[in-house]
Amino acid sequence: MSKVLVEISARHVHVTQETLEILFGKGAELTKKKDLSQPGQFASNEKVTIVGPKGQMAASILGPVRKENQVEVSLTEARKLGIAAPVRESGDVAGTPGCKLIGPAGELDIENGVIAAKRHIHLTPEAAEEFGVKDKQIVSVAVGGEGRKLVFGDVVIRVSASYAPAMHIDTDESNAAGITGATEGEIIV
């Protein structure tokens, strides 16, 4: 039985250093609010407003800064914004819709980068070997509380020595399974 930590990933934004300075001012740096489960990743104190054709909503910026801007929302949030966000793996932003980001010092229209993150499991090479899975393999994961148990299909395995074992789902997915905080899921190969 392969049990993995399942965490809820709420909407958030990843930005480049250039974007951070446009939104927060020259020389701006992200300030750590709290560490996340993935080594070196953190929720920052900095927030932006995501603006789409139909609406807007606030989101936290996750650090550290990245090579590309990326906005991760649930499909429900994408509809509220009026953005047709595709389901993609994090980092796969080519050909995706853009949006406007507003910060305290400025705003920026990003050409692409809005996605609904594909549900995924971060594993170290050792954990992947223990679980009998490989990088980019698609698995299912059984999760859920009393009366809301379900099996998520199309879960991509992501393997790197820099990861800590954890599955990430968005708020739509956690609501469907009745999950309100971190829980365990069982990988079904």
Side-chain angles (χ1 to χ4, degrees), residues 98-158:
C99 67
K100 178 180 284 194
L101 297 176
I102 301 175
E107 58 185 54
L108 177 68
D109 288 307
I110 61 170
E111 290 183 23
N112 60 16
V114 182
I115 66 167
K118 184 174 181 72
R119 44 190 173 247
H120 57 280
I121 301 173
H122 294 280
L123 292 175
T124 61
E126 297 79 18
E129 186 175 332
E130 179 186 326
F131 292 171
V133 295
K134 297 183 183 329
D135 190 45
K136 302 298 182 194
Q137 182 176 344
I138 303 298
V139 298
S140 295
V141 178
V143 298
E146 192 62 37
R148 299 289 286 188
K149 293 180 183 177
L150 59 81
V151 175
F152 285 121
D154 299 320
V155 181
V156 66
I157 299 290
R158 300 179 68 183

Side-chain angles (χ1 to χ4, degrees), residues 1 27 35 43 67 73-75 79 82 87 96 103 110 120 128 130 137 162 167 173:
M1 193 178 296
D35 286 317
K67 293 178 185 175
V73 294
S74 72
L75 292 175
R79 281 193 223 37
V87 176
T96 60
I110 61 170
H120 57 280
E130 179 186 326
Q137 182 176 344
S162 66
M167 177 176 173
E173 294 162 326

